[in-house]
Amino acid sequence: MTSYSKIVGTGSYLPPKRVTNDELAQQLAKKGIETSDEWIFSRSGISARHYAEADVLSSDLAVAASQRALQAAGLQANDIDLIILATSTPDHFGGFPSTACVVQRKLGITNGSAAMDVQAVCSGFIYAMSVADSFIKSGMYKNVLVIGAEVFSRILNFDDRTTCVLFGDGAGAIVMTGSKEPGILASKLHADGSHGHILCVPGNVNDGAIAGNAYLYMDGPAVFKLAVSVLDKVAREVLEIAQVDAREIDWLIPHQANIRIMQSTAKKLGLPLEKMVVTVDEHGNTSAASIPLALDQAVRDGRVKPGQNVMMEGVGGGFTWGAVLVRM
């Protein structure tokens, strides 16, 4: 009998176009906007990010990451009976058909499996994992493909140097399946809509056109203050539920938004920085894709090993936050 859900495969994909801080600074200089590698890196820890080409959609990135995760899991696409895709940049304006359904089609899945999108911005992948865990434990689904995929470059205002330098595009995926052995040890999700205004895309659709501002807006100091507080608390909640001591965490994989937020979280948990997986320097903030991208990189380079405890946590617009403790 299935008692747990377990991660059995990981995959990720970054679009080939890599843009360094110097290259981005040169592009912005042509618009009369001053920035520099030192300015960006000192505030965020970001050195480069990847941008998708104009004809590449979130689903395209998701498919590439999913194929690698399926291969790692030793499964075929039609073995998947549920797709949960976290994204804030869906293929279709209005969100339907869901990007998960588009991915299902592009992967060639013909078994009538369920598919749905989850919207919790940078916490989206944590939300999706938690939902997948519950479905698997209930016995409703056996093999679930969980994806985070974003093309955030499409919603950036390149006249605003405080936000446009921070984000990038990419996708990460995992395959979760039922297991008799412990896998997902505990998870906890939160939201507080009263903080929705500090990180949002404030525009909406009216009469077939965008009403208001369709670019990402962020109150950086407010987000920083809230993120540092809630990430520590939710990690401790998950440890308490799992009855695991923080010293038993082998790896911390936080949402890759800002190196200072990440380092603060690790220190509050009493973890050495060497136990934290960092990809923000090369990926920038890829929102819902950031955690699975970092996880896959650490699995494939041999840092994350079977049997180790991995704490993953994210915080995003909404305001949403959550954490999952996983035994690999």
Side-chain angles (χ1 to χ4, degrees):
M1 180 180 175
T2 296
S3 300
Y4 303 96
S5 69
K6 197 170 184 67
I7 297 172
V8 293
T10 67
S12 61
Y13 181 77
L14 292 163
K17 184 179 179 182
R18 178 177 179 270
V19 180
T20 66
N21 288 346
D22 283 333
E23 290 169 333
L24 186 56
Q26 290 171 18
Q27 294 172 24
L28 295 177
K30 296 175 182 177
K31 300 162 67 83
I33 300 167
E34 282 190 31
T35 191
S36 66
D37 174 61
E38 190 279 332
W39 190 90
I40 298 168
F41 185 79
S42 65
R43 286 162 175 78
S44 66
I46 298 168
S47 296
R49 74 287 294 147
H50 291 251
Y51 290 155
E53 297 296 339
D55 60 344
V56 174
L57 304 172
S58 286
S59 64
D60 297 314
L61 305 181
V63 166
S66 298
Q67 288 170 334
R68 294 174 181 179
L70 286 165
Q71 184 179 31
L75 296 176
Q76 301 298 313
N78 269 318
D79 293 325
I80 296 298
D81 45 19
L82 172 63
I83 299 172
I84 307 177
L85 188 148
T87 187
S88 296
T89 52
D91 283 13
H92 296 282
F93 201 75
F96 64 92
S98 71
T99 305
C101 283
V102 176
V103 169
Q104 182 196 52
R105 172 178 62 80
K106 289 182 177 180
L107 284 173
I109 296 175
T110 57
N111 60 11
S113 59
M116 63 179 177
D117 287 357
V118 169
Q119 222 300 32
V121 198
C122 303
S123 305
F125 188 76
I126 297 297
Y127 268 62
M129 281 185 68
S130 184
V131 172
D133 176 53
S134 296
F135 270 129
I136 291 170
K137 287 178 178 175
S138 76
M140 184 175 288
Y141 298 106
K142 180 183 178 183
N143 297 320
V144 182
L145 179 61
V146 183
I147 311 163
E150 303 283 15
V151 283
F152 251 58
S153 59
R154 309 284 163 79
I155 58 172
L156 298 179
N157 179 359
F158 284 92
D159 289 326
D160 177 9
R161 74 167 184 168
T162 64
T163 57
C164 73
V165 300
L166 301 178
F167 295 88
D169 304 337
I174 60 173
V175 176
M176 294 171 59
T177 194
S179 173
K180 296 178 182 179
E181 302 297 324
I184 309 301
L185 301 181
S187 64
K188 188 70 176 179
L189 306 176
H190 290 284
D192 184 348
S194 68
H195 297 289
H197 62 286
I198 67 174
L199 178 56
C200 60
V201 177
N204 55 67
V205 182
N206 191 329
D207 196 24
I210 296 172
N213 191 340
Y215 290 127
L216 178 147
Y217 166 80
M218 181 171 68
D219 179 340
V223 170
F224 187 99
K225 182 179 179 180
L226 188 58
V228 168
S229 171
V230 300
L231 287 174
D232 175 57
K233 290 177 182 177
V234 75
R236 295 186 185 280
E237 285 181 292
V238 169
L239 288 169
E240 184 175 348
I241 295 168
Q243 296 186 332
V244 172
D245 190 271
R247 290 170 294 184
E248 297 177 73
I249 297 174
D250 295 293
W251 292 101
L252 173 67
I253 305 182
H255 167 50
Q256 308 285 314
N258 181 296
I259 192 64
R260 291 185 292 166
I261 294 174
M262 295 160 63
Q263 290 173 341
S264 174
T265 301
K267 289 175 182 177
K268 285 189 173 186
L269 288 171
L271 296 175
L273 296 182
E274 294 75 21
K275 284 193 171 187
M276 182 170 68
V277 177
V278 177
T279 57
V280 68
D281 54 335
E282 281 295 315
H283 298 174
N285 183 344
T286 55
S287 190
S290 81
I291 291 172
L293 272 164
L295 173 64
D296 183 54
Q297 180 169 306
V299 166
R300 290 177 184 268
D301 67 22
R303 278 178 289 173
V304 171
K305 298 176 175 62
Q308 290 186 329
N309 294 326
V310 179
M311 175 70 77
M312 294 178 254
E313 57 178 357
V315 59
F319 213 77
T320 65
W321 65 98
V324 178
L325 183 63
V326 177
R327 183 161 298 155
M328 298 298 292

